[in-house]
Amino acid sequence: MQFGSVPTVGVDALTPGAFLLDVREDDEWAAGHAEGALHIPMSEFVSRYGELTETAPENGEIFVLCRSGGRSAQVTQYLVQQGLDAVNVAGGMQAWEAAGRPVSDGKGGAGTVV
């Protein structure tokens, strides 16, 4: 599936162990996120790009999440332009939560998507 010219998949395509990049802002992340996701807010993304390249699996897919899929589509487009195998997750964390996937508050409790 494509979101404009951006590779896009639904939450159902994500398998356990998929590399997730959450580009939501700090308050959104703190309220609830996918356990194990790398968090780099879109507003800080270019300056923190090295964190992604150090953490992402070599030659592996990077699944990019935001709240609903708009910001993540922009970041995905940027990553594809950099030659990375990035894929936007349609519906973002709202779709993740709606699909019954776990949302963590990072403190051992259940989180919520804001």
Side-chain angles (χ1 to χ4, degrees):
M1 184 192 310
Q2 297 285 321
F3 183 92
S5 62
V6 176
T8 303
V9 297
V11 170
D12 58 340
L14 300 176
T15 59
F19 185 83
L20 303 175
L21 170 64
D22 189 323
V23 298
R24 297 174 303 146
E25 296 305 314
D26 290 335
D27 60 325
E28 295 172 287
W29 170 266
H33 55 270
E35 196 69 45
L38 174 64
H39 177 229
I40 303 176
M42 183 175 169
S43 62
E44 302 171 16
F45 194 77
V46 174
S47 65
R48 294 178 57 189
Y49 179 73
E51 291 177 44
L52 173 64
T53 58
E54 291 172 12
T55 309
E58 195 167 328
N59 300 319
E61 289 180 306
I62 300 165
F63 294 96
V64 188
L65 289 156
C66 67
R67 186 175 61 84
S68 62
R71 289 172 286 177
S72 55
Q74 293 175 53
V75 171
T76 299
Q77 185 173 36
Y78 173 80
L79 293 174
V80 167
Q81 289 170 347
Q82 305 309 308
L84 296 176
D85 189 3
V87 181
N88 183 40
V89 178
M93 284 300 297
Q94 289 177 328
W96 177 277
E97 186 176 49
R101 301 267 181 136
V103 178
S104 170
D105 66 1
K107 300 173 187 151
T112 186
V113 175
V114 296

